[in-house]
Amino acid sequence: MTEAAPDCLFCRMVAGDITPDVVAETPTTLAFRDVNPQAPTHVLVVPRTHHATIGALAAADPGLAAELLAAAQAVAVQEGLATGSAPEPGWRLVVNSGPDAGQTVHHVHLHVLGGRGLGWPPG
């Protein structure tokens, strides 16, 4: 676990300094709508503790990484993209790790995308 980074946008949201459009939260995660959605449903799921990348989180706290994934699944079900027992209508989970992958906020976050057909390759 790392301390909140004062210049981190998502740490400021977790702290309540910036108010996101929250759709779900647990003691360890926060899920909110993306301000620049790339699909009809675009929710970001972040850990409440600061970890720069998914690799850093997996190394520091594998249990929290699992909780983050479970929170993403719960958001998909809540948003009508999945059910408890079947994947229909479907959703995509995206994690960008590092600048070459397009990560622009260096606080690990999972993108839950759905609500339309999502082609492959993604881009």
Side-chain angles (χ1 to χ4, degrees):
M1 173 165 58
T2 62
E3 303 249 346
D7 59 342
C8 174
L9 174 65
F10 295 159
C11 285
R12 293 179 64 206
M13 289 179 175
V14 167
D17 299 336
I18 298 172
T19 306
D21 183 2
V22 175
V23 299
E25 54 187 311
T26 72
T28 58
T29 66
L30 180 66
F32 51 90
R33 299 207 186 279
D34 194 299
V35 296
N36 184 25
Q38 302 300 305
T41 299
H42 189 166
V43 174
L44 302 179
V45 183
V46 305
R48 291 185 180 273
T49 54
H50 184 84
H51 300 272
T53 65
I54 193 70
L57 172 60
D61 192 341
L64 179 56
E67 289 177 45
L68 200 61
L69 186 58
Q73 168 65 18
V75 166
V77 170
Q78 174 184 309
E79 296 291 310
L81 304 174
T83 65
S85 60
E88 298 300 328
W91 57 289
R92 180 171 290 161
L93 184 65
V94 175
V95 183
N96 300 315
S97 188
D100 283 352
Q103 184 180 7
T104 57
V105 177
H106 297 286
H107 181 126
V108 67
H109 53 287
L110 282 60
H111 298 256
V112 176
L113 300 158
R116 67 169 171 82
L118 300 168
W120 195 263

